């Protein structure tokens, strides 16, 4: 019994720190000999290969179980968000200094490239006021309804290439997020308000800010390759009194069952941005 | 290391010497003072004025608590462990991150604040718990205070006064009578049949006589000193002079010694510290590595810091300390039901790893009451029943000699039972009288029956009590036969003195002349009984001549007008403090469990040795060096010390031994008995055992044991007989004073060590699937799969109960047949355990989590390949129309909820895998099927609880916005199931390999 109570060899203790990295007497590196390392690494190689294989297999099964056209679940995106172009919630520019607003103009111009007539001429001219349903067609490639830049009239950038920025009456484009299969009920339109004592005149394009139902439903990136979202342009007809002030503008999708008053998601069916035009 | 110990010893010795010197000088000085002030008519004592001066100089006569570390420092220490520091850092980073976000005006997300608060709460709560544990076990000096008498009668200015005991000073004269506590260390000046109970100080079971003569150099041995805190058992007024007060008394020094001995760290504390350090180190390593990686990849400094924090939170097992504490307290509870109260939780495991038990004799191994053990009559030694419940065998009582002997024993006895004890079993009744008379009274009550009645029948005519000059006790009685008018003289006393007075001896009822042959027989018997460590008394009687001593004869005890020689010898009765019935079996069990039992006692070597042999500490056939020398008839020096298994060392011998010699003795003799040891020496013995690498348990009950109890890795005090000082110094208390309970403790300790291993393995495993999401998140830039708050929910909510339930697991093998674990080799957390948990089971769990994560992402529209590198856009607060794989556009909020879904899915995956994990952790070697799936009910309920809690978190309304849990689709619960099955099957294969091929590569690498 007494033999179990060996004294710790003090000599070993002093060199054990170095030995734990490399022990020249046994040839051990980090407590293992080369062959021991080889064996354990081989074991882990096999082990992880097996695991990786299993992971790959499950991923493969997962991916083949997915539909190419429609996501399996859409419960995280039941309602579309509303976004503006130019993509800035805090716009500020000097109407007489092109350098300040050129970025917005450029942004709008590039954004509207897809709405050029050259692109849109291939698309269908759909009947207005109705959903453009294509569920019954065998063809997986769905047709898209055309939305021409011209629909935006003064804000199309065709007549006024500065989108009104130079004259202090800037255009802002609004678009609803794409959601597959979304069919808003009622007649959706965009309504913007400025939180300010005196109301500000606004012009909507297309008229009354309507979003036509024919652009719904969306069939997904793969099936609906040429789909473009309907846009609504708002031209803020600012007057001298409104310059040099930060104006908070809120736009909402109205006239439908789409949510526009979610407490947590401030971009669900609505968008708030500030605009300040300096003279 | 050894040099240091040596130095310490030297220092101690030096200190001791100085103390002694001081003491001697002090004694002389005070003696002078007293003699000067002594007047012919008696003692006048000190003057009040002088006493006040001395009081000023020496301070009051009380035990001062040592200067300890302040409480707030102790508390702060609890908050500053390895893991705690890391968590503080993490919490600080969280606060900073939150502060910066707040400053930027971006307060959408309170996660960082929550996280910081939770982390701090975890640290503080565990800290409070630890502090409470420590607080409970440190209050040692208080118990010594209880020992100290409050009032004392002092003679000052020639007048007797009752004063508060702490007003006493050196040189004061005090008066003590039976029943008083001794108010300081005093030297007896006058005494009358004074006896003190030193058992708590020296371990001697019997009261010690105190007389004015100095009989020994050693203050502990000499007759003329009575010690602070002991009690005066009997004797009329005794006067003594105070030689030491307060902390300078023997008890004060023991108290200082006990409170000065640092609490040894328990083995489990060392183990936990060991691996907490490793984990903290690894956490910092991982955190720092990925901090650098993140900076290198191009993250902002703050972001990289947050990653560091997240990695720390993910990697540190926050719930582990709580789990360990709960597991230990469960075992403590279980032990409490078996009469072992554990004061210091960590001590639960210590017994399991104990390799040496240093046991006190009196009251621990023995019953702490003198009991008749043997009788010698008719030229035979008869063994009496010494068991506590009288279940043993009795001797043949048919002999006529026995009847005479019993009559002498019953009549020549002044002890009486206290009244109103009819219901109490005889051995437990309270008796008025000294130890040996008590033993005889109980013995005769058991064998003869109703002694009160018996004594009534033999009316006592006269009595001469025992005194130290005569060394015998005589009484004269009328006979119970009314026709027989003779008187009966009965006498008992020291055997040799009794024999001198006898001329005949009673053999089989016949009076035979006491010739050489009988004398020799008597001598042999006397030696034999003495050799057993027993106290022997001789008994004789004489029927007085009817004519010479007629009825009504006026016997005078002072003149002794009755014959005291020519008596008839009846027999010898020997007494011992017998071992408890359960002890030999318990010692045997300890031996099978590889634990060495060493006896360390304050009692005499012969008694100690006899008891040691009796209980099996010295086994049959083991010899000491002296025995071998005697057998071979060679001098002691020529005996090879290695041949002797047993060894008895007395305190005197021990004093002359160097610590190396003591180590050598402990190493070469497996069976050791230390007798006549002082408290200091007990400490030295314990230290020596610890130097040899043993985990030492010390059992004891006396105040003198308290330093050793404190020094030991685990001190075990006796609950009934134990002094408060011992109980306070101990880590564990045996409520039934039963040494056998220690065996239960050892078993439970070993079991909890095994089960803690399982719990920790279970707890550590999930840190990998918690960590990998961050690593992947940082390096591959996928949306974050698992949030910090979710991790905390796993660590502190769902996984606590299952990991605790493993503490209820039954032992896999007969743990009591194994040797105690070697603390240097059998670690709680070894490499194999960590590697297996982290790189194998943890890896499988990570894969399960990612499979489920990618499934949830893909099914919601985000294909795995799209996810890679998606992080910057995904987390861009200004990007409200991020396209998924199907062309749908998501707002930031929608993405955030998707991210929470991922957290939940990952959480569920870890939970499912952890269910499998808890099942495989039930055993380390056996198949789970052999262990039984449902035998551990708690574990089954823990799994159910885990699932219910998981469901509650997922599906309770409001969870998404408070704790980032989303109600996930049912099928995502089943995605990780194949991985769970894989874990189970893989571990069964591992265990099969371990069982089938012991010692193989597989066994070495994969058995933890």
């Amino acid at each position: 019994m007494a033999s179990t109570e060996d004294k710790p060899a003090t000599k070993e203790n002093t060199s054990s720190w170095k030995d734990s990295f490399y022990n020249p007497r046994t040839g051990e590196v980090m407590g293992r000999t080369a062959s021991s390392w080889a064996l354990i690494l081989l074991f882990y190689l096999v082990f992880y290969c097996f695991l990786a294989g299993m992971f790959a297999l499950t991923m493969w099964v997962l991916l083949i179980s997915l539909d190419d056209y429609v996501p399996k679940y859409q419960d995280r995106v039941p309602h579309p968000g509303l976004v503006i172009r130019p993509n800035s919630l805090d716009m500020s520019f000097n109407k007489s200094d092109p350098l300040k607003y050129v970025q917005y103009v450029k942004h709008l111009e590039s954004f509207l490239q897809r709405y050029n007539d050259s692109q849109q001429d291939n698309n269908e001219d759909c009947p207005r006021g109705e959903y453009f349903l294509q569920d019954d067609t065998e063809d997986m490639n769905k047709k898209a309804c055309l939305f021409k830049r011209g629909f935006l009239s003064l804000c199309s950038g065709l007549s006024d290439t500065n989108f009104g920025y130079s004259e202090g009456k800037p255009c802002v484009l609004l678009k609803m997020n794409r959601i597959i299969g979304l069919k808003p009920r009622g007649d959706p339109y965009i309504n913007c308000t400025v939180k300010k004592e005196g109301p500000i005149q606004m012009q909507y394009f297309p008229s009354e800010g309507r979003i036509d139902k024919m652009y719904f439903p969306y069939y997904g990136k793969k099936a609906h390759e040429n789909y473009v979202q309907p846009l609504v342009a708002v031209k803020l007809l600012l007057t001298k009194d409104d310059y040099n002030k930060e104006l908070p503008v809120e736009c909402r999708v109205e006239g439908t069952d789409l949510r526009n008053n979610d407490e947590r998601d401030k971009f669900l069916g609505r968008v708030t941005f500030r605009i300040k035009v300096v003279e | 290391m050894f040099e240091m110990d040596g130095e310490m010893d030297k220092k101690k010795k030096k200190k001791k010497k100085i103390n002694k010197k001081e003491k001697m000088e002090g004694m002389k000085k005070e003696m002078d003072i007293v003699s000067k002030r002594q007047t012919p008519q008696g003692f006048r004592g000190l003057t009040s004025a002088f006493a006040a001066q001395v009081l000023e100089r020496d301070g009051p006569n009380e035990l001062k608590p040592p200067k300890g570390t302040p409480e707030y420092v102790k508390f702060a220490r609890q908050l500053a462990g390895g893991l705690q520091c890391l968590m503080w850092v993490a919490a600080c980073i969280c606060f900073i991150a939150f502060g910066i976000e707040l400053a930027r005006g971006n307060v959408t997300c309170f996660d960082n604040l929550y996280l910081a608060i939770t982390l701090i709460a975890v640290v503080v709560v565990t800290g409070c718990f630890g502090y409470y544990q420590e607080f409970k076990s440190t209050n040692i000096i208080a118990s010594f205070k209880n020992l100290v008498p409050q009032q004392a009668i002092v003679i000052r200015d020639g007048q007797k006064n009752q004063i508060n005991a702490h007003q006493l000073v050196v040189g004061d004269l005090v008066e003590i009578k039976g029943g008083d506590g001794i108010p300081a260390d005093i030297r007896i000046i006058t005494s009358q049949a004074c006896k003190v109970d030193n058992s708590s100080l020296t371990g001697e079971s019997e009261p010690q006589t105190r007389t004015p003569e100095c009989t020994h150099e050693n203050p502990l041995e000499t007759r003329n000193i009575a010690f602070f805190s002991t009690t005066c058992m009997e004797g009329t007024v005794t006067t003594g002079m105070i030689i030491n007060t307060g902390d300078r008394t023997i008890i004060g020094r023991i108290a200082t010694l006990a409170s000065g001995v640092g609490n040894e760290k328990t083995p489990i504390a060392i183990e936990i510290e060991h691996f907490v350090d490793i984990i903290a180190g690894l956490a910092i390593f991982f955190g720092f590595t990925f901090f650098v990686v993140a900076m290198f990849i191009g993250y902002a400094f703050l972001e990289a810091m947050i990653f560091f924090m997240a990695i720390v939170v993910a990697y540190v097992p926050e719930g582990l300390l709580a789990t360990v504490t709960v597991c230990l307290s469960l075992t403590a509870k279980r032990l409490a039901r078996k009469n072992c109260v554990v004061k210091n939780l960590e001590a639960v495991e210590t017994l399991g790893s104990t390799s040496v038990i240093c046991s006190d004799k009196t009251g621990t191994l023995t019953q702490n009451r003198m009991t008749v053990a043997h009788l010698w009559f008719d030229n035979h030694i008869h063994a009496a029943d010494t068991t506590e419940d009288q279940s043993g065998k009795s001797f043949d009582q048919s002999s006529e000699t026995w009847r005479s002997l019993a009559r002498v024993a019953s009549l020549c006895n002044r002890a009486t039972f206290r009244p109103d004890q009819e219901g109490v079993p005889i051995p437990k009744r309270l008796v008025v009288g000294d130890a040996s008379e008590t033993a005889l009274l109980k013995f005769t009550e058991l064998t003869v029956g109703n002694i009160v009645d018996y004594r009534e029948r033999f009316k006592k005519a006269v009595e001469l009590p025992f005194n130290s000059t005569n060394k015998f006790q005589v009484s004269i009685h009328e006979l119970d036969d009314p026709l027989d008018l003779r008187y009966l003289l009965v006498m008992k006393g020291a055997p040799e003195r009794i024999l001198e007075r006898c001329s005949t001896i009673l053999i089989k009822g016949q009076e035979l002349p006491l010739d050489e042959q009988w004398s020799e027989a008597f001598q042999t018997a006397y030696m034999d009984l003495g050799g057993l460590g027993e106290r022997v008394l001789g008994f004789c009687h004489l029927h007085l001549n009817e004519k010479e001593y007629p009825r009504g004869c006026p016997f005078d005890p002072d003149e002794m007008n009755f014959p005291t020689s020519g008596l008839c010898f009846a027999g010898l009765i020997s007494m011992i403090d017998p071992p408890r019935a359960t002890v030999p079996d318990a010692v045997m069990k300890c031996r099978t469990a590889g634990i060495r039992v060493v006896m360390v006692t304050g009692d005499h070597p012969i008694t100690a040795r006899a008891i040691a042999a009796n209980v099996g500490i010295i086994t049959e056939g083991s010899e000491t060096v002296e025995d071998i020398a005697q057998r071979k008839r060679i001098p002691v020096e020529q005996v090879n010390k290695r041949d002797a298994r047993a060894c008895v060392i007395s305190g005197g011998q021990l004093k002359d031994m160097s610590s190396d010699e003591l180590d050598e003795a402990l190493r070469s003799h497996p069976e050791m008995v230390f007798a006549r040891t002082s408290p200091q020496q007990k400490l030295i013995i314990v230290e020596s055992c610890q130097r040899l690498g043993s985990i030492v348990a010390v059992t004891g009950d006396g105040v003198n044991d308290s330093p050793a109890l404190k020094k030991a890795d685990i001190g075990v005090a006796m609950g009934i007989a134990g002094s408060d000082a011992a109980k306070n110094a101990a880590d564990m208390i045996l409520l039934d004073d039963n040494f056998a309970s220690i065996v239960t403790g050892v078993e439970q300790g070993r079991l909890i060590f095994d089960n803690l291993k399982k719990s920790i393995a279970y707890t550590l495993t999930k840190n990998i699937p918690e960590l990998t999401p961050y690593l992947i998140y940082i390096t591959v830039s996928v949306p974050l799969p698992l949030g910090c708050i979710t991790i905390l929910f796993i660590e502190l909510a769902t996984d606590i109960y299952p990991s605790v339930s493993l503490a209820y697991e039954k032992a896999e093998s007969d743990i009591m047949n194994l040797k105690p674990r070697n603390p240097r080799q059998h670690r709680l957390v070894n490499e194999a355990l960590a590697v297996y948990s982290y790189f194998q089971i943890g890896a499988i769990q990570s894969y399960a989590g990612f499979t489920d994560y990618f499934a949830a992402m893909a099914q919601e529209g985000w294909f795995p390949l799209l996810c890679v590198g998606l992080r910057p856009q995904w987390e861009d607060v200004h990007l409200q129309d991020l396209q998924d794989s199907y062309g749908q556009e998501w707002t930031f909020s929608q993405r955030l909820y998707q991210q929470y879904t991922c957290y939940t899915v990952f959480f569920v995956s870890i939970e499912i895998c952890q269910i499998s994990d808890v099942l495989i952790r039930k055993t380390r070697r056996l198949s789970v099927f052999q262990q039984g799936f449902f035998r551990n009910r708690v574990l089954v309920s823990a799994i159910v609880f885990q699932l219910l809690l998981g469901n509650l978190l997922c599906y309770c309304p409001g969870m998404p916005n408070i704790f980032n849990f989303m109600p996930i689709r049912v099928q995502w619960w089943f995605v990780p199931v194949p991985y769970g099955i894989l874990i189970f099957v893989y571990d069964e294969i591992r265990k099969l390999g371990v069982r089938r091929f012991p010692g193989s590569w597989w066994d070495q690498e994969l058995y933890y």
Side-chain angles (χ1 to χ4, degrees), chain A residues 2 5 32 39 44 48 67 73-76 79 85 175 177-178 180 221 229 264-265 267, chain B residues 667 692 835 839-840 859-860 880-881 883 886 888-889 891 893-894 897 901 961 969 971 1005:
Chain A
E5 296 151 2
R32 283 176 189 278
L39 207 56
Y44 276 101
Y48 285 129
D67 192 304
Y73 308 117
Q74 291 180 273
D75 47 358
R76 294 283 154 257
H79 298 282
R85 291 289 181 271
K175 79 173 172 95
N177 279 352
R178 285 185 285 196
I180 293 172
K221 194 158 87 178
Q229 276 146 295
R264 296 188 180 271
D265 195 344
F267 294 90
Chain B
R667 215 172 317 172
L692 292 173
V835 166
F839 298 124
Q840 299 185 25
Q859 292 190 337
E860 291 283 1
Q880 298 295 344
D881 54 350
Q883 274 198 27
Y886 290 94
Q888 302 189 100
E889 290 168 329
T891 65
S893 246
Q894 286 166 338
Y897 282 115
T901 309
N961 298 321
R969 297 191 165 265
Q971 52 268 51
E1005 295 292 343

Side-chain angles (χ1 to χ4, degrees), chain A residues 66-234:
Chain A
L66 291 175
D67 192 304
D68 280 349
Y69 296 94
V70 186
K72 190 147 186 172
Y73 308 117
Q74 291 180 273
D75 47 358
R76 294 283 154 257
V77 276
H79 298 282
L82 192 65
V83 293
I84 60 161
R85 291 289 181 271
N87 194 6
S88 168
L89 297 179
D90 217 348
M91 282 187 277
S92 167
F93 62 92
N94 188 334
K95 69 169 186 166
S96 45
D97 181 3
L99 281 176
K100 289 272 154 55
Y101 59 77
V102 68
Q103 47 163 333
Y104 302 126
V105 174
K106 269 191 180 167
H107 187 182
L108 288 175
E109 183 58 38
S110 69
F111 175 71
L112 286 173
Q113 286 304 309
R114 287 205 63 193
Y115 294 85
N116 283 341
D117 286 0
S118 54
Q119 301 249 340
Q120 293 299 319
D121 280 343
N122 302 332
N123 285 347
E124 296 275 315
D125 189 6
C126 308
R128 291 181 178 270
E130 285 170 39
Y131 299 126
F132 188 48
L133 295 171
Q134 303 169 71
D135 293 327
D136 41 0
T137 52
E138 289 290 307
D139 188 9
M140 287 316 289
N141 285 324
K142 313 288 182 189
K143 290 175 187 129
C145 296
L146 64 83
F147 189 99
K148 291 192 172 173
R149 251 175 111 159
F151 293 180
L152 301 175
S153 164
L154 290 175
C155 288
S156 67
L158 298 172
S159 49
D160 175 9
T161 51
N162 282 328
F163 296 93
Y165 283 78
S166 55
E167 49 185 312
K169 296 182 170 61
C171 284
V172 173
L173 300 183
L174 290 134
K175 79 173 172 95
M176 248 162 55
N177 279 352
R178 285 185 285 196
I179 287 172
I180 293 172
L182 181 78
K183 285 183 277 186
R185 269 182 241 146
D187 289 311
Y189 66 92
I190 302 283
N191 183 33
C192 294
T193 49
V194 178
K195 286 168 191 161
K196 191 181 156 259
E197 305 90 60
I200 283 176
Q201 291 283 314
M202 276 180 256
Q203 253 184 318
Y204 296 95
F205 308 102
S207 58
E208 294 167 32
R210 286 200 184 282
I211 298 167
D212 203 286
K213 273 171 146 177
M214 68 179 172
Y215 298 105
F216 301 99
Y218 174 51
Y219 284 99
K221 194 158 87 178
K222 191 160 182 184
H224 231 154
E225 233 175 307
N226 293 323
Y227 178 82
V228 285
Q229 276 146 295
L231 300 174
V232 170
V234 181

